[in-house]
Amino acid sequence: MKHIVKVFTLLFLFLTVGSTAKADEKVNVVKQGTVRGRIIDATKQTLPGASIYIEKLHAGVTSDVNGFYTFPNLEPGTYTVKVSYVGYSPVELKITIPEGRTLEKDVVMNEGVELQEVVVGGAFQGQRRAVNSQKNSLGIKNVVSADQVGKFPDSNIGDALKRISGINVQYDQGEARFGQVRGTSADMSSVTINGNRVPSAEGDTRNVQLDLIPADMIQTIEVNKVVTPDMDADAIGGSINLITKNSPYKRFISATAGTGYNWISDKAQLNLGFTYGDRFFNDKLGLILSASYQNSPSGSDDIEFVWDKDVETGELCITDYQVRQYYVTRERQSYSAALDWDINENHKLTFKGIFNNRNDWENRYRLNVKGINLEEDDNGNEYCSINNKGVVRVQTKGGTPDNRNARLERQRTMDFTLGGEHLFGKLDTKWSVNYAKASEERPNERYIDYQLKKQKFNMDLSDERKPLLTPQEGSAMYLNDDFSLKEVTEQQEDIQEKDFKFKLDFSLPLTKGKFGNHLRFGTKVVHKTKDKEIDFYEYTPLDEDGFDKASLAAAVDQNRDGYMPGKQYKAGSFISKEYLGELDLNNASLFEKNQVQEELATNFNAKETVAAGYLRFDQKLGEKWDLMLGLRLENTHVKYSGSQYDADEDKTTRTAYESDSYLNVLPSVLVKYDVNDDFKVRASFTNTIARPKYAALAPNITIKRSDNSISLGNPGLQPTISYNFDLSGEYYFKSIGLVSAGVFYKKINDFIVDQTMRNYNYNGTTYTKFSQPRNSGNADLLGVEVAYQRDFSFIAPALKCIGFYGTYTYSYSRVDNFNFEGRENESGLRLPGSPEHTANASLFFEKSGVSLRLSYNYASAFIDEMGAEKFYDRYYDAVNYMDANASYTFGKKLKTTFYAEATNLLNQPLRYYQGTKERTMQSEHYGVKVNAGVKINF
């Protein structure tokens, strides 16, 4: 395997040296030249995706995401160049290519006459950039520009992504956290910043948390649903590429200030942003600096249940019942910088960096009736038998005073890239060195838990969406003097992932004309480390009676008026967060301190190196057809050490390192057919992968004695492999819009889910719940996508100010060769994380500086977690989101925008259900959020 990689690397070196020598030889003989520059509009804004075409040569190129273009390998002489861009008048100009030199030529485009009456920066400004990038792409791609993001009330990148066709997002505390592309789970897609995968701040996943990144820090969002061989292959669903702000063409200054309100927290929000960009030293050095700050107090009302069946009668019952009240303050800070230095017309250096910090202060008050209707047999097996008895537990989550007496979760990501672009004759060379890091810290996370055993309840299951427990006479459900201390704990958590990347790309034009071709090749090496360390202590007060008296005296009522799951649910009283935070836990005269070994068993250390190389050959087949043939090789080497808990000795030990290597050979074929300038058809075959989660590979054995459960890692997991077929057609309207339709099919092998078994015997001990990730089978995924966006001028010119944007995706999945014990022959199984329907609709009005938009987002329910049998399967319920925003913009030199927005107008909860739609497992409500403010562009 190593020899294959070495041979591939030597091949690259041979091609590089040979191609460079050939290019130099050609230059010496005919002294070919190059033209390069930037496409901009009259306001000096860059235009990505512009078409630059030389009719005489039957050859063209497209400007990149920052508006730059390069046309190499030109014979000296005069050419007529045509530049076109949707929504702008075409530009024709004559250029003279000097012998053996590079001509720098920027092109300024003006809006088409029919669009000039549209307000400056109005309805179509963002759509034009997105439409042009999509139109000229070889693969299937959706693009959202910063202008478009600003039209929606989206505070983070995850919320902005849900507007794109085929994307569904999952929520945490009312904000989008993970993105799912084309009916696949979040683990099957990648999130990159400027083409480099972003490390994850959480311990159990590879995916970056999208709510870390403010939407106003990103210049463009690209969703590549078909990946090319020069892109990382770990993108079965697709690759979400976040492009940070690039240095401008001229001086640019903008500022934002706003506030908002949420009815749960009953507190004001604060939103600030600032961007400065300019060029220096005779435009040789470009710089842009950006900063964003958001402080958002919020919260949620939450109810949770676990369902089971009586083993003798089969009667439905509840075994766990929770009422929760959350108060959360989420603070985001983000800073970015970009520099480019034009050394000369053939050489440029670039730097891009972004740092994101999110502080999440959370207090949770949880009422839990635990173990209700559960019994144990003589062998220790737990089973459901309706007895209406349970243990009441009342828990406060908090932290120390220096962390606002709340649990602080500090997540950070940073990404820094130094790169260069160099033109050696015909050979275009790009390189980059990247360092990225993500971390999560939870310092001094504290819990205090009081309990009351052997309580009896009445169970009302007449409405399974809202089951209700009420205490029987003589029993209690809310905190009182009869409760006793269950535990006081404190934990420290530190998770870090670091990435080092080196990338080298070469681009070599071979021939020009109607049948011109192009060779690209390169290599990339990524070295990752991921470490998870948790330390956990339990504290026993030496004076238990005195401690109980003081604790109960510090109880505070946490019932909130307007509790959204229903007024029948009461959280009750809890030990105050201030009392918990002030406890002097490390004072040996007050508390006995014991390390809880079983909590340490999730710790692991991981190392992963991916060495990749690729070849990409682009061939024009006349004026209408484009063909791409590609091959990518990725060699993955992993090395893991985990932790294993021995319940007999009450001791956790680290395991020896285990390692594995595998090579993926990934071919691809892409075809594009230009029916005409406005109608494009694309087809492709690609081969992609999804690597297992870090925590899933770690050889851990984790035992929770309180729940009598055990979970194991699985170092033997194989990557998920997918064979992807895509076909799509797009028609672009003259009035800046498009209609598109496509179908996709994915043959997915060895998808990974956690297998869960009940009353499982492991090494002679029976556990109520056993779980382990495993390659669980194969799946077929078939989907259809349609999209439509257009203003209504085709009905009547006066309706140009009104428009519609809509998308719909249907996906059908079928699982075969499912290997869960007891479910091998089950039919009708669907791929976890795969909603059948997703849709977006947006109606907008823009005229004379006034902008109004009403937006709707829908995703159907999907299976989220597979249980021991169908009854225990967990589903993520369907969601319906509606948002509205309005703004007014005026001024030219000092463009000022006042805006107001409201999100989650339908008060959509985060809801899970068990087995059937009516059986609620969780229903968490966030309420409506409103924001207003002002943006100023200088």
Side-chain angles (χ1 to χ4, degrees):
M1 190 177 298
K2 293 180 179 179
H3 295 299
I4 295 176
V5 177
K6 289 180 180 178
V7 170
F8 208 77
T9 305
L10 289 173
L11 175 62
F12 284 160
L13 293 174
F14 173 76
L15 286 170
T16 304
V17 174
S19 301
T20 305
K22 185 177 178 181
D24 289 341
E25 180 184 356
K26 189 79 171 177
V27 170
N28 291 334
V29 174
V30 300
K31 296 183 179 179
Q32 292 176 317
T34 296
V35 58
R36 69 190 312 174
R38 207 169 188 182
I39 311 299
I40 59 174
D41 65 14
T43 65
K44 302 299 187 286
Q45 298 296 308
T46 58
L47 299 177
S51 173
I52 303 97
Y53 190 78
I54 300 179
E55 182 68 34
K56 179 180 179 181
L57 303 177
H58 301 288
V61 295
T62 301
S63 62
D64 66 16
V65 71
N66 296 308
F68 290 105
Y69 74 95
T70 301
F71 221 131
N73 195 26
L74 298 175
E75 301 288 343
T78 300
Y79 298 89
T80 298
V81 178
K82 181 177 180 179
V83 183
S84 58
Y85 202 83
V86 173
Y88 287 80
S89 299
V91 173
E92 281 195 7
L93 66 156
K94 290 188 180 296
I95 60 170
T96 300
I97 301 298
E99 293 185 7
R101 295 178 57 192
T102 295
L103 171 69
E104 292 190 83
K105 185 63 178 177
D106 294 341
V107 180
V108 180
M109 305 193 73
N110 293 298
E111 292 179 349
V113 174
E114 72 276 7
L115 294 174
Q116 289 179 358
E117 65 187 63
V118 179
V119 64
V120 174
F124 313 107
Q125 184 83 10
Q127 290 185 34
R128 280 186 291 217
R129 289 172 171 79
V131 165
N132 276 277
S133 296
Q134 292 177 206
K135 181 179 180 179
N136 293 309
S137 172
L138 179 62
I140 298 172
K141 178 167 71 173
N142 294 111
V143 179
V144 179
S145 70
D147 299 316
Q148 284 177 292
V149 171
K151 301 296 180 185
F152 294 97
D154 301 325
S155 60
N156 68 57
I157 287 300
D159 288 317
L161 277 171
K162 73 182 181 185
R163 315 291 179 184
I164 299 176
S165 173
I167 292 188
N168 178 50
V169 293
Q170 291 182 279
Y171 282 77
D172 175 72
Q173 285 301 323
E175 294 186 342
R177 170 157 284 197
F178 295 114
Q180 300 169 274
V181 183
R182 282 185 154 187
T184 61
S185 66
D187 298 311
M188 291 189 185
S189 297
S190 66
V191 178
T192 61
I193 289 183
N194 302 317
N196 288 309
R197 180 147 188 169
V198 187
S200 171
E202 293 189 359
D204 298 333
T205 182
R206 288 179 178 268
N207 282 1
V208 68
Q209 294 66 42
L210 297 171
D211 54 3
L212 273 173
I213 306 171
D216 60 357
M217 295 298 288
I218 299 300
Q219 174 177 297
T220 306
I221 305 172
E222 294 180 337
V223 179
N224 295 286
K225 296 174 179 176
V226 172
V227 298
T228 51
D230 49 323
M231 301 167 62
D232 293 339
D234 53 345
I236 289 176
S239 173
I240 301 168
N241 186 30
L242 310 177
I243 300 172
T244 56
K245 295 178 180 179
N246 199 59
S247 55
Y249 193 83
K250 65 169 187 176
R251 178 176 295 175
F252 176 79
I253 303 174
S254 71
T256 301
T259 187
Y261 185 78
N262 172 261
W263 274 263
I264 293 181
S265 67
D266 202 24
K267 295 179 180 178
Q269 303 175 13
L270 178 63
N271 305 307
L272 300 172
F274 181 79
T275 298
Y276 170 80
D278 206 348
R279 302 202 69 84
F280 306 91
F281 306 115
N282 201 25
D283 291 340
K284 289 290 185 180
L285 177 67
L287 167 71
I288 192 166
L289 302 171
S290 296
S292 175
Y293 178 83
Q294 298 175 359
N295 188 289
S296 177
S298 60
S300 62
D301 302 340
D302 181 34
I303 52 175
E304 300 188 17
F305 316 100
V306 176
W307 298 81
D308 212 330
K309 297 176 292 186
D310 189 293
V311 292
E312 294 184 358
T313 66
E315 185 179 349
L316 189 67
C317 66
I318 286 176
T319 59
D320 194 87
Y321 178 98
Q322 298 187 26
V323 179
R324 300 182 176 196
Q325 181 68 66
Y326 287 89
Y327 293 102
V328 178
T329 296
R330 184 162 287 178
E331 179 189 64
R332 291 189 193 88
Q333 304 166 61
S334 186
Y335 309 95
S336 71
L339 297 95
D340 65 82
W341 177 30
D342 288 329
I343 301 172
N344 56 43
E345 63 270 15
N346 292 327
H347 301 279
K348 181 168 75 171
L349 295 179
T350 62
F351 171 81
K352 277 194 169 187
I354 186 169
F355 171 83
N356 302 291
N357 181 86
R358 193 197 71 191
N359 293 326
D360 206 76
W361 290 278
E362 178 185 292
N363 288 109
R364 185 190 71 194
Y365 303 97
R366 184 182 72 181
L367 169 67
N368 183 196
V369 181
K370 191 174 181 63
I372 189 171
N373 299 317
L374 289 179
E375 301 281 2
E376 240 182 50
D377 64 18
D378 295 337
N379 297 319
N381 295 324
E382 200 170 65
Y383 64 93
C384 178
S385 178
I386 296 178
N387 57 25
N388 294 323
K389 293 187 297 185
V391 178
V392 181
R393 292 176 60 174
V394 175
Q395 184 188 77
T396 299
K397 177 201 285 190
T400 51
D402 56 340
N403 290 326
R404 306 183 184 182
N405 296 311
R407 185 276 287 142
L408 169 62
E409 178 184 83
R410 176 176 289 123
Q411 291 189 339
R412 288 176 172 171
T413 63
M414 59 189 75
D415 186 275
F416 305 104
T417 302
L418 177 66
E421 300 175 15
H422 309 278
L423 189 62
F424 302 104
K426 293 198 308 181
L427 186 67
D428 193 356
T429 303
K430 297 180 180 180
W431 61 269
S432 64
V433 179
N434 172 270
Y435 170 74
K437 179 182 177 182
S439 63
E440 178 181 280
E441 298 176 73
R442 289 189 174 191
N444 307 112
E445 181 177 348
R446 290 184 170 187
Y447 295 85
I448 184 168
D449 204 332
Y450 270 77
Q451 67 178 6
L452 186 61
K453 297 180 179 180
K454 298 180 179 180
Q455 301 301 290
K456 300 201 71 175
F457 300 90
N458 296 314
M459 184 168 56
D460 181 1
L461 305 184
S462 58
D463 182 357
E464 293 179 14
R465 282 183 170 265
K466 295 184 176 182
L468 184 65
L469 289 187
T470 53
Q472 295 184 11
E473 187 175 351
S475 293
M477 193 170 180
Y478 303 107
L479 186 65
N480 60 36
D481 292 342
D482 295 328
F483 279 66
S484 61
L485 180 67
K486 172 67 171 66
E487 60 186 8
V488 178
T489 64
E490 182 178 83
Q491 75 174 61
Q492 317 289 331
E493 178 185 277
D494 185 13
I495 300 171
Q496 294 195 24
E497 181 178 346
K498 300 177 183 178
D499 289 9
F500 298 90
K501 307 180 186 77
F502 173 75
K503 187 178 182 183
L504 186 61
D505 297 293
F506 301 98
S507 179
L508 182 66
L510 301 176
T511 61
K512 298 187 291 292
K514 293 182 180 180
F515 294 88
N517 47 40
H518 204 107
L519 178 66
R520 301 179 190 180
F521 53 97
T523 185
K524 183 176 184 179
V525 178
V526 181
H527 178 69
K528 297 172 173 282
T529 62
K530 182 116 184 180
D531 302 293
K532 180 180 180 180
E533 297 293 334
I534 290 178
D535 203 5
F536 193 100
Y537 288 90
E538 184 174 348
Y539 299 85
T540 303
L542 300 182
D543 179 7
E544 292 190 19
D545 291 339
F547 182 82
D548 286 345
K549 185 176 180 180
S551 298
L552 294 172
V556 177
D557 181 18
Q558 293 295 341
N559 290 314
R560 192 182 70 81
D561 291 338
Y563 194 74
M564 286 180 280
K567 62 182 180 180
Q568 66 270 39
Y569 297 104
K570 303 293 183 183
S573 296
F574 297 82
I575 310 303
S576 73
K577 64 178 183 179
E578 293 81 7
Y579 176 84
L580 175 61
E582 293 289 349
L583 292 177
D584 189 5
L585 295 180
N586 292 304
N587 187 335
S589 65
L590 299 176
F591 295 94
E592 179 184 340
K593 178 179 179 181
N594 292 294
Q595 191 176 43
V596 182
Q597 291 291 314
E598 66 184 80
E599 296 288 346
L600 312 183
T602 59
N603 295 340
F604 66 86
N605 303 102
K607 299 178 181 179
E608 180 179 276
T609 301
V610 179
Y614 73 89
L615 290 171
R616 171 177 169 171
F617 181 73
D618 289 82
Q619 175 70 55
K620 290 186 67 65
L621 301 173
E623 294 183 348
K624 292 183 176 293
W625 290 88
D626 290 280
L627 170 69
M628 190 224 74
L629 303 175
L631 179 67
R632 185 177 182 89
L633 271 62
E634 290 195 352
N635 183 77
T636 305
H637 177 75
V638 294
K639 190 175 182 181
Y640 281 83
S641 172
S643 304
Q644 298 187 352
Y645 175 66
D646 187 327
D648 294 331
E649 296 187 11
D650 190 27
K651 185 178 181 181
T652 297
T653 56
R654 299 305 291 260
T655 67
Y657 275 98
E658 299 185 28
S659 61
D660 187 23
S661 295
Y662 51 89
L663 176 69
N664 296 108
V665 180
L666 307 164
S668 56
V669 180
L670 279 72
V671 178
K672 180 183 177 184
Y673 173 52
D674 294 337
V675 181
N676 54 46
D677 189 51
D678 298 319
F679 187 18
K680 314 290 182 181
V681 177
R682 297 178 175 87
S684 64
F685 163 76
T686 56
N687 191 187
T688 50
I689 66 172
R691 296 183 177 89
K693 298 177 183 178
Y694 298 108
L697 283 167
N700 288 357
I701 298 178
T702 305
I703 297 173
K704 295 287 188 182
R705 289 180 293 182
S706 58
D707 296 324
N708 193 34
S709 64
I710 182 172
S711 60
L712 275 63
N714 187 352
L717 284 174
Q718 298 299 308
T720 302
I721 307 293
S722 181
Y723 302 91
N724 315 298
F725 300 86
D726 294 87
L727 176 65
S728 72
E730 300 166 354
Y731 182 80
Y732 294 85
F733 301 114
K734 299 296 185 184
S735 58
I736 312 177
L738 65 88
V739 58
S740 66
V743 336
F744 59 89
Y745 169 74
K746 299 178 184 293
K747 178 61 179 176
I748 300 173
N749 295 335
D750 291 324
F751 70 86
I752 300 170
V753 295
D754 288 339
Q755 178 174 14
T756 302
M757 304 181 73
R758 299 168 65 83
N759 294 322
Y760 185 81
N761 187 285
Y762 179 79
N763 286 347
T765 302
T766 299
Y767 295 94
T768 302
K769 183 179 179 181
F770 168 91
S771 64
Q772 184 181 36
R774 62 183 300 172
N775 294 108
S776 302
N778 306 324
D780 297 290
L781 178 61
L782 177 67
V784 177
E785 289 181 330
V786 293
Y788 180 88
Q789 61 182 86
R790 194 179 187 185
D791 65 66
F792 292 162
S793 61
F794 67 96
I795 300 174
L799 297 179
K800 182 180 293 186
C801 56
I802 302 174
F804 175 80
Y805 168 81
T807 70
Y808 170 74
T809 301
Y810 169 81
S811 61
Y812 171 81
S813 63
R814 182 185 64 190
V815 170
D816 54 49
N817 298 323
F818 194 58
N819 56 27
F820 272 25
E821 185 177 329
R823 302 189 69 172
E824 297 90 344
N825 300 316
E826 191 172 326
S827 61
L829 291 174
R830 299 289 182 259
L831 188 67
S834 182
E836 188 173 4
H837 307 279
T838 60
N840 287 286
S842 179
L843 185 66
F844 59 86
F845 170 89
E846 299 199 23
K847 188 174 183 179
S848 303
V850 177
S851 174
L852 306 172
R853 186 178 296 261
L854 183 66
S855 306
Y856 173 76
N857 174 262
Y858 170 79
S860 60
F862 58 87
I863 187 169
D864 177 72
E865 181 180 286
M866 290 184 166
E869 59 180 88
K870 190 173 183 178
F871 176 86
Y872 299 105
D873 287 346
R874 185 177 75 176
Y875 290 81
Y876 191 102
D877 200 6
V879 295
N880 294 271
Y881 287 97
M882 184 170 287
D883 308 314
N885 60 317
S887 65
Y888 176 64
T889 301
F890 59 92
K892 291 185 177 180
K893 291 186 178 180
L894 189 66
K895 187 185 296 184
T896 304
T897 300
F898 290 95
Y899 68 91
E901 54 197 32
T903 59
N904 196 23
L905 292 172
L906 302 179
N907 194 15
Q908 173 65 51
L910 166 67
R911 184 175 184 269
Y912 290 91
Y913 61 86
Q914 182 178 316
T916 67
K917 191 175 184 65
E918 297 303 313
R919 202 168 293 152
T920 298
M921 287 192 76
Q922 180 180 7
S923 184
E924 187 171 51
H925 299 250
Y926 311 106
V928 178
K929 294 181 181 179
V930 294
N931 286 284
V934 60
K935 301 176 183 179
I936 301 175
N937 292 331
F938 299 88

